[in-house]
Protein backbone atom coordinates (compact mmCIF):
# COMPACT_ATOMS: atom_id res chain seq x y z
CA UNK A 1 0.00 0.00 0.00
CA UNK A 2 1.32 3.44 -0.94
CA UNK A 3 0.89 6.35 1.43
CA UNK A 4 -0.22 9.57 -0.21
CA UNK A 5 0.74 11.76 2.72
CA UNK A 6 3.88 12.82 0.87
CA UNK A 7 2.79 13.21 -2.77
CA UNK A 8 4.71 16.01 -4.44
CA UNK A 9 2.18 18.51 -5.79
CA UNK A 10 4.38 19.63 -8.68
CA UNK A 11 4.87 16.07 -9.94
CA UNK A 12 1.18 15.33 -9.59
CA UNK A 13 0.10 18.54 -11.35
CA UNK A 14 2.52 17.88 -14.23
CA UNK A 15 0.78 14.55 -14.81
CA UNK A 16 -2.64 16.17 -14.65
CA UNK A 17 -1.53 18.87 -17.11
CA UNK A 18 -0.66 16.18 -19.70
CA UNK A 19 -4.35 15.29 -19.84
CA UNK A 20 -6.04 18.60 -18.97
CA UNK A 21 -5.38 21.75 -20.99
CA UNK A 22 -7.93 24.05 -19.35
CA UNK A 23 -6.01 26.36 -17.01
CA UNK A 24 -9.10 27.01 -14.91
CA UNK A 25 -9.48 23.31 -14.14
CA UNK A 26 -5.78 23.02 -13.32
CA UNK A 27 -6.04 25.97 -10.96
CA UNK A 28 -9.07 24.42 -9.28
CA UNK A 29 -7.24 21.09 -8.76
CA UNK A 30 -4.21 22.91 -7.35
CA UNK A 31 -6.52 24.74 -4.93
CA UNK A 32 -8.04 21.38 -3.92
CA UNK A 33 -4.60 20.00 -3.12
CA UNK A 34 -3.63 23.06 -1.08
CA UNK A 35 -6.96 23.50 0.68
CA UNK A 36 -5.33 22.66 4.00
CA UNK A 37 -6.42 20.63 6.99
CA UNK A 38 -8.21 21.42 10.24
CA UNK A 39 -6.44 20.01 13.29
CA UNK A 40 -7.31 20.83 16.90
CA UNK A 41 -9.43 23.74 15.67
CA UNK A 42 -6.56 25.28 13.73
CA UNK A 43 -6.35 25.43 9.93
CA UNK A 44 -3.02 24.63 8.29
CA UNK A 45 -1.83 24.74 4.70
CA UNK A 46 -0.70 21.62 2.83
CA UNK A 47 2.29 21.68 0.51
CA UNK A 48 2.35 17.90 -0.04
CA UNK A 49 -0.20 15.09 -0.19
CA UNK A 50 -3.77 14.66 -1.41
CA UNK A 51 -6.76 15.08 0.95
CA UNK A 52 -7.75 11.66 2.28
CA UNK A 53 -11.33 10.76 1.42
CA UNK A 54 -11.75 13.64 -0.99
CA UNK A 55 -13.87 13.01 -4.10
CA UNK A 56 -10.96 13.86 -6.38
CA UNK A 57 -8.32 11.80 -4.56
CA UNK A 58 -9.01 8.39 -6.28
CA UNK A 59 -8.73 10.04 -9.71
CA UNK A 60 -5.48 11.75 -8.78
CA UNK A 61 -4.20 8.45 -7.39
CA UNK A 62 -4.87 6.78 -10.73
CA UNK A 63 -3.04 9.52 -12.61
CA UNK A 64 -0.09 9.26 -10.27
CA UNK A 65 0.09 5.47 -10.41
CA UNK A 66 -0.54 4.99 -14.12
CA UNK A 67 3.19 4.33 -14.62
CA UNK A 68 3.04 1.66 -11.91
CA UNK A 69 0.22 -0.14 -13.73
CA UNK A 70 2.17 -0.07 -16.99
CA UNK A 71 5.31 -1.38 -15.26
CA UNK A 72 3.42 -4.32 -13.74
CA UNK A 73 1.79 -5.07 -17.11
CA UNK A 74 5.15 -5.06 -18.91
CA UNK A 75 6.52 -7.52 -16.36
CA UNK A 76 3.55 -9.81 -16.87
CA UNK A 77 2.57 -9.65 -13.20
CA UNK A 78 -0.94 -10.25 -11.94
CA UNK A 79 -2.14 -7.38 -9.80
CA UNK A 80 -5.20 -5.50 -8.61
CA UNK A 81 -5.24 -1.87 -7.56
CA UNK A 82 -7.79 0.61 -6.28
CA UNK A 83 -6.48 4.15 -5.77
CA UNK A 84 -3.37 3.75 -3.57
CA UNK A 85 -4.12 0.18 -2.42
CA UNK A 86 -2.38 -2.39 -4.62
CA UNK A 87 -1.89 -6.17 -4.40
CA UNK A 88 0.57 -8.04 -6.64
CA UNK A 89 0.35 -11.83 -6.92
CA UNK A 90 3.38 -14.07 -7.50
CA UNK A 91 4.11 -17.77 -7.04
CA UNK A 92 6.63 -17.76 -4.20
CA UNK A 93 7.80 -15.74 -1.22
CA UNK A 94 11.20 -15.29 -2.87
CA UNK A 95 9.57 -13.78 -5.95
CA UNK A 96 7.43 -11.63 -3.69
CA UNK A 97 10.47 -10.21 -1.91
CA UNK A 98 12.13 -9.45 -5.24
CA UNK A 99 9.04 -7.73 -6.63
CA UNK A 100 8.50 -5.78 -3.42
CA UNK A 101 12.06 -4.43 -3.48
CA UNK A 102 11.74 -3.43 -7.12
CA UNK A 103 8.42 -1.68 -6.63
CA UNK A 104 9.65 0.23 -3.59
CA UNK A 105 12.63 1.48 -5.59
CA UNK A 106 10.37 2.50 -8.47
CA UNK A 107 7.81 4.28 -6.28
CA UNK A 108 10.32 6.18 -4.16
CA UNK A 109 12.78 6.89 -6.96
CA UNK A 110 10.64 7.51 -10.02
CA UNK A 111 7.38 8.77 -8.49
CA UNK A 112 8.80 10.26 -5.26
CA UNK A 113 6.16 8.49 -3.17
CA UNK A 114 6.43 7.15 0.34
CA UNK A 115 5.54 3.47 0.82
CA UNK A 116 3.54 2.73 3.94
CA UNK A 117 5.80 0.11 5.56
CA UNK A 118 3.28 -0.85 8.24
CA UNK A 119 0.69 -1.88 5.64
CA UNK A 120 3.04 -3.39 3.06
CA UNK A 121 4.10 -7.03 3.28
CA UNK A 122 4.94 -10.19 1.38
CA UNK A 123 2.43 -12.79 2.55
CA UNK A 124 -0.10 -15.38 1.42
CA UNK A 125 -3.32 -13.87 0.02
CA UNK A 126 -5.57 -15.33 2.72
CA UNK A 127 -3.60 -13.47 5.41
CA UNK A 128 -4.08 -10.08 3.75
CA UNK A 129 -7.14 -7.95 3.06
CA UNK A 130 -8.10 -5.77 0.11
CA UNK A 131 -11.01 -3.31 0.15
CA UNK A 132 -12.61 -5.17 3.05
CA UNK A 133 -12.17 -8.65 1.55
CA UNK A 134 -9.72 -11.49 1.99
CA UNK A 135 -9.59 -15.15 0.93
CA UNK A 136 -10.59 -18.43 2.54
CA UNK A 137 -8.08 -21.12 1.60
CA UNK A 138 -9.49 -24.53 2.55
CA UNK A 139 -9.04 -26.68 -0.50
CA UNK A 140 -11.07 -24.27 -2.61
CA UNK A 141 -10.21 -20.59 -2.54
CA UNK A 142 -13.22 -18.39 -1.76
CA UNK A 143 -13.66 -14.67 -1.35
CA UNK A 144 -14.68 -13.75 2.20
CA UNK A 145 -15.24 -10.63 4.27
CA UNK A 146 -12.18 -9.53 6.22
CA UNK A 147 -12.43 -9.82 10.04
CA UNK A 148 -11.94 -6.06 10.53
CA UNK A 149 -14.81 -5.32 8.15
CA UNK A 150 -17.05 -7.68 10.14
CA UNK A 151 -16.01 -5.99 13.39
CA UNK A 152 -16.83 -2.56 11.93
CA UNK A 153 -20.23 -3.86 10.80
CA UNK A 154 -21.13 -5.09 14.28
CA UNK A 155 -19.90 -1.89 15.88
CA UNK A 156 -22.07 0.19 13.56
CA UNK A 157 -25.16 -1.92 14.28
CA UNK A 158 -24.54 -1.56 18.03
CA UNK A 159 -24.30 2.21 17.61
CA UNK A 160 -27.54 2.40 15.66
CA UNK A 161 -29.40 0.30 18.23
CA UNK A 162 -27.91 2.06 21.26
CA UNK A 163 -28.76 5.48 19.84
CA UNK A 164 -32.35 4.37 19.26
CA UNK A 165 -33.50 5.35 22.73
CA UNK A 166 -36.31 7.86 22.45
CA UNK A 167 -37.31 6.86 18.92
CA UNK A 168 -39.84 4.29 17.75
CA UNK A 169 -39.02 0.78 16.57
CA UNK A 170 -40.19 1.83 13.10
CA UNK A 171 -37.60 4.63 13.00
CA UNK A 172 -34.88 2.27 14.22
CA UNK A 173 -35.74 -0.29 11.56
CA UNK A 174 -35.66 2.40 8.88
CA UNK A 175 -32.13 3.38 9.94
CA UNK A 176 -31.05 -0.25 10.00
CA UNK A 177 -32.61 -0.81 6.59
CA UNK A 178 -30.61 1.99 5.00
CA UNK A 179 -27.34 0.75 6.45
CA UNK A 180 -27.95 -2.96 5.84
CA UNK A 181 -29.05 -2.39 2.24
CA UNK A 182 -25.91 -0.42 1.44
CA UNK A 183 -23.64 -2.88 3.26
CA UNK A 184 -25.22 -5.85 1.48
CA UNK A 185 -24.78 -4.11 -1.87
CA UNK A 186 -21.03 -4.10 -1.28
CA UNK A 187 -20.21 -7.13 0.86
CA UNK A 188 -22.89 -9.41 -0.57
CA UNK A 189 -20.21 -10.11 -3.17
CA UNK A 190 -18.56 -12.58 -0.75
CA UNK A 191 -18.55 -16.34 -1.40
CA UNK A 192 -19.20 -17.45 2.19
CA UNK A 193 -23.02 -17.39 2.68
CA UNK A 194 -22.67 -18.92 6.14
CA UNK A 195 -21.05 -15.66 7.30
CA UNK A 196 -24.04 -13.66 6.05
CA UNK A 197 -26.41 -16.11 7.73
CA UNK A 198 -24.67 -15.66 11.10
CA UNK A 199 -24.77 -11.89 10.69
CA UNK A 200 -28.48 -12.05 9.86
CA UNK A 201 -29.13 -13.99 13.07
CA UNK A 202 -27.02 -11.55 15.08
CA UNK A 203 -28.82 -8.50 13.67
CA UNK A 204 -32.23 -10.02 14.40
CA UNK A 205 -31.13 -10.72 17.95
CA UNK A 206 -30.11 -7.06 18.32
CA UNK A 207 -33.53 -5.99 17.08
CA UNK A 208 -35.33 -8.36 19.47
CA UNK A 209 -33.23 -6.93 22.27
CA UNK A 210 -34.36 -3.42 21.26
CA UNK A 211 -38.01 -4.53 21.30
CA UNK A 212 -37.61 -5.98 24.78
CA UNK A 213 -36.09 -2.77 26.11
CA UNK A 214 -38.79 -0.63 24.50
CA UNK A 215 -41.51 -2.67 26.16
CA UNK A 216 -39.91 -1.62 29.48
CA UNK A 217 -42.15 -2.96 32.29
CA UNK A 218 -43.38 -6.46 33.08
CA UNK A 219 -47.03 -5.92 32.25
CA UNK A 220 -46.24 -4.49 28.82
CA UNK A 221 -43.82 -7.30 28.08
CA UNK A 222 -46.32 -9.96 29.09
CA UNK A 223 -49.05 -8.38 26.99
CA UNK A 224 -46.83 -7.99 23.91
CA UNK A 225 -45.64 -11.61 24.11
CA UNK A 226 -49.09 -13.13 24.52
CA UNK A 227 -50.57 -10.90 21.82
CA UNK A 228 -47.94 -12.34 19.46
CA UNK A 229 -48.89 -15.94 20.16
CA UNK A 230 -46.56 -16.86 23.01
CA UNK A 231 -48.25 -19.20 25.57
CA UNK A 232 -49.05 -17.48 28.86
CA UNK A 233 -46.83 -19.80 30.92
CA UNK A 234 -43.81 -19.20 28.67
CA UNK A 235 -44.52 -15.47 28.58
CA UNK A 236 -44.71 -15.29 32.38
CA UNK A 237 -41.50 -17.33 32.72
CA UNK A 238 -39.66 -15.01 30.31
CA UNK A 239 -40.94 -11.81 31.92
CA UNK A 240 -39.93 -13.08 35.35
CA UNK A 241 -36.47 -14.18 34.26
CA UNK A 242 -33.51 -12.54 36.04
CA UNK A 243 -31.47 -12.53 32.85
CA UNK A 244 -30.60 -9.31 31.02
CA UNK A 245 -32.13 -8.18 27.73
CA UNK A 246 -29.33 -9.52 25.52
CA UNK A 247 -29.63 -13.00 27.03
CA UNK A 248 -33.42 -12.97 26.67
CA UNK A 249 -33.25 -11.74 23.07
CA UNK A 250 -32.28 -15.30 22.14
CA UNK A 251 -35.03 -16.92 24.21
CA UNK A 252 -37.77 -19.13 22.68
CA UNK A 253 -40.44 -16.62 23.66
CA UNK A 254 -38.90 -13.67 21.80
CA UNK A 255 -38.01 -15.80 18.79
CA UNK A 256 -41.63 -16.95 18.64
CA UNK A 257 -43.06 -13.46 19.15
CA UNK A 258 -40.67 -11.71 16.75
CA UNK A 259 -40.22 -14.19 13.95
CA UNK A 260 -38.02 -13.75 10.90
CA UNK A 261 -41.11 -13.21 8.75
CA UNK A 262 -42.54 -10.63 11.14
CA UNK A 263 -39.32 -8.62 11.31
CA UNK A 264 -39.09 -8.78 7.53
CA UNK A 265 -42.63 -7.43 7.25
CA UNK A 266 -41.52 -4.44 9.31
CA UNK A 267 -38.80 -3.70 6.78
CA UNK A 268 -35.74 -5.43 8.24
CA UNK A 269 -33.81 -6.74 5.20
CA UNK A 270 -31.82 -9.93 5.03
CA UNK A 271 -28.14 -9.81 4.11
CA UNK A 272 -28.46 -12.97 2.01
CA UNK A 273 -30.97 -11.77 -0.58
Amino acid sequence: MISFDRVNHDILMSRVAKRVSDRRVLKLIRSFLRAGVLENGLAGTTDEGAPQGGPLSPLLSNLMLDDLDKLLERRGLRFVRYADDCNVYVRSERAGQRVMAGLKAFLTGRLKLKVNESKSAVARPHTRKFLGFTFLDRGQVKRRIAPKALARFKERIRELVQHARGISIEQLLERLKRYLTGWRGYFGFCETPSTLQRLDEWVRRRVRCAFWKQWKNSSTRFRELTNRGVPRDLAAQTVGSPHAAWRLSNSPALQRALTIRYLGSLGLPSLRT
Side-chain angles (χ1 to χ4, degrees), residues 8-249:
N8 184 285
H9 287 177
D10 292 332
I11 294 177
L12 178 55
M13 287 306 302
S14 68
R15 292 176 178 273
V16 175
K18 291 179 180 179
R19 295 169 171 81
V20 178
S21 57
D22 192 322
R23 292 182 178 273
R24 293 171 299 178
V25 175
L26 293 174
K27 183 178 180 180
L28 184 62
I29 294 175
R30 173 74 76 168
S31 299
F32 169 80
L33 292 172
R34 303 194 65 181
V37 295
L38 187 66
E39 187 174 356
N40 297 324
L42 299 176
T45 59
T46 50
D47 298 319
E48 294 182 317
Q52 296 296 307
L56 196 57
S57 296
L59 175 60
L60 297 178
S61 300
N62 288 335
L63 289 174
M64 196 69 188
L65 292 175
D66 185 52
D67 286 351
L68 172 64
D69 295 343
K70 292 177 179 177
L71 173 67
L72 294 171
E73 288 172 353
R74 287 198 302 271
R75 293 186 178 181
L77 293 169
R78 295 183 177 184
F79 69 98
V80 57
R81 182 179 67 80
Y82 180 82
D84 61 343
D85 197 352
C86 182
N87 285 3
V88 182
Y89 301 99
V90 294
R91 292 184 177 276
S92 67
E93 182 178 356
R94 183 177 180 182
Q97 297 290 356
R98 183 175 65 251
V99 170
M100 174 72 83
L103 292 182
K104 284 183 178 179
F106 176 80
L107 292 168
T108 57
R110 174 76 176 275
L111 302 182
K112 308 302 180 184
L113 294 173
K114 179 184 177 182
V115 176
N116 191 325
E117 299 290 347
S118 64
K119 294 184 178 180
S120 301
V122 176
R124 294 186 178 276
H126 67 272
T127 67
R128 306 293 292 174
K129 67 180 182 67
F130 180 71
L131 302 179
F133 287 94
T134 184
F135 295 99
L136 181 67
D137 187 10
R138 294 178 180 174
Q140 182 180 2
V141 177
K142 292 184 178 181
R143 187 172 51 250
R144 70 184 182 100
I145 304 169
K148 287 186 177 180
L150 293 175
R152 286 194 298 268
F153 169 84
K154 289 190 172 183
E155 182 60 30
R156 181 56 181 156
I157 295 297
R158 290 190 188 98
E159 290 176 359
L160 289 172
V161 174
Q162 289 171 359
H163 294 164
R165 296 175 182 175
I167 67 173
S168 66
I169 285 292
E170 290 74 16
Q171 290 174 306
L172 168 61
L173 291 175
E174 182 59 32
R175 294 180 182 180
L176 288 174
K177 180 181 178 180
R178 290 197 296 267
Y179 178 72
L180 292 172
T181 301
W183 192 91
R184 181 183 63 192
Y186 185 85
F187 287 103
F189 187 61
C190 75
E191 297 176 318
T192 51
S194 59
T195 298
L196 299 180
Q197 180 180 348
R198 289 193 296 272
L199 289 179
D200 261 344
E201 295 169 354
W202 184 84
V203 170
R204 288 195 295 268
R205 187 174 177 184
R206 281 285 165 190
V207 172
R208 291 183 181 114
C209 185
F211 267 94
W212 189 252
K213 290 180 178 179
Q214 289 239 343
W215 290 339
K216 293 183 179 179
N217 57 59
S218 298
S219 60
T220 302
R221 289 170 173 174
F222 182 81
R223 183 179 67 251
E224 293 289 349
L225 289 177
T226 54
N227 286 346
R228 287 171 166 79
V230 178
R232 295 176 66 85
D233 290 346
L234 179 58
Q237 179 183 352
T238 305
V239 170
S241 172
H243 297 305
W246 177 245
R247 176 79 173 269
L248 290 174
S249 65

